[in-house]
Amino acid sequence: HPDLASDPSIVTGYEGPFSTAGPWSSDGCGHGTHVAGTIAAIGSNDQGVVGVNRNGQLKLHIVRIFGDNCVWAWGSSLVAAMNECVDAGADVVNMSLGGPWSSAVEEAAAARITNDDGVLLVAAAGNGGNDSYLYPASYPDVMSVAAVDSNNDHVYFSQYNDEVDIAAPGFGTESTCPSSSYCTKSGTSMASPHVAGVAALVWSRYPSKTNLEIREALEQSAEDFGTAGRDNYYGHGLVRADLAEFYLDTGSTARPTVSPTPGPPTVSPTPAPPCDDNPVGWFDSDGATFNCEWYSVGSNCEDYGDFYEREGTTANVACCACGGGTPLDTPSPVPASPSPSPSASPVKKSSKAPSASPVN
């Protein structure tokens, strides 16, 4: 496919004894090609779509277990496929597949691969539109991915249960398809590679982190939707590469939605000059809760003021509480002596450089 890397040093596949489904480089139903494009379609090449990892350098190892009809495969083939990915040196394994029956052998393999081999396993939560479990996604050592639409609403078919860990786009997803074409598909199979792709992207920037640390960063930094906190529909929330990077840089969890109790007031010898937030009524990219009043509490300006840009500005530039805003003209005081006090120029806190660039 012209939008996928073809260099054999980058893209490899398995054609060993258990690979009875057909050549790894052939895709009879388009499912695997679509998943690959979501993870790694090349950007800046004037071709159809852009993957999460767009530089054409992400190594992919393809293990095919479905025939051309993409209907079913043996559980033993799935375990063998996971082991093959580990043997090939994979850091992240995406499994856009699943079934309703759990297997002690599969679960033990997932636990071993996660805890002994240090590989991050990601799988589709399921398309049944109910609260039943799908496997391998619902094994504890696998990240279960739910689907959302372009409005970040939970999609009706996406399964919901207490094993759902995180959510990603999975409705009307355009990606690569066989015969150098493009097509649109929906399903948690489309959501799972978004998370696997983000995991690979973030991990490439923090190669010393473990699989469990990357998983924690993705979950703790996910953008919260639905019921506050983790819920069965979105898990921890929508995967966000930029917020995962911020989490790994700062060790900070998702921002509080309830203002913390402020400490003792600091008495300033000189009152701050009058000021208007600019623009008036500004709030950041995470919504109206995070306005200049929210930033005025505690160390929110210092911790978050250079992030979450909206309307071309951040809190440290827009909010008076953070040292930004627009100073108002201060009327001259009535002098207490023949020589009036000089008028003080308002000091504006400059915006500090962010500690990390957003992940593209």
Side-chain angles (χ1 to χ4, degrees), residues 240-303:
R240 288 277 300 268
D242 56 342
L243 298 187
E245 182 179 18
F246 179 75
Y247 178 87
L248 288 168
D249 278 339
T250 65
S252 175
T253 58
R255 299 183 298 161
T257 55
V258 178
S259 298
T261 303
T266 301
V267 179
S268 174
T270 304
C275 173
D276 272 343
D277 297 329
N278 184 16
V280 175
W282 180 88
F283 53 86
D284 74 22
S285 59
D286 268 359
T289 298
F290 302 102
N291 54 22
C292 289
E293 182 179 356
W294 183 88
Y295 275 95
S296 70
V297 176
S299 61
N300 287 344
C301 289
E302 180 179 354
D303 292 342

Side-chain angles (χ1 to χ4, degrees), residues 165-261:
D165 294 293
I166 202 162
F171 186 79
T173 304
E174 186 176 7
S175 188
T176 49
C177 275
S179 303
S180 300
S181 67
Y182 300 88
C183 58
T184 299
K185 294 179 180 289
S186 297
T188 54
S189 281
M190 286 62 253
S192 183
H194 278 93
V195 172
V198 168
L201 178 64
V202 173
W203 209 342
S204 71
R205 297 177 65 91
Y206 302 87
S208 65
K209 299 297 184 182
T210 68
N211 59 330
L212 299 181
E213 289 172 322
I214 295 298
R215 176 172 178 169
E216 177 189 23
L218 297 185
E219 291 177 348
Q220 294 303 314
S221 66
E223 185 175 0
D224 194 14
F225 287 98
T227 304
R230 194 217 155 269
D231 62 65
N232 289 352
Y233 291 85
Y234 293 89
H236 293 274
L238 178 69
V239 67
R240 288 277 300 268
D242 56 342
L243 298 187
E245 182 179 18
F246 179 75
Y247 178 87
L248 288 168
D249 278 339
T250 65
S252 175
T253 58
R255 299 183 298 161
T257 55
V258 178
S259 298
T261 303

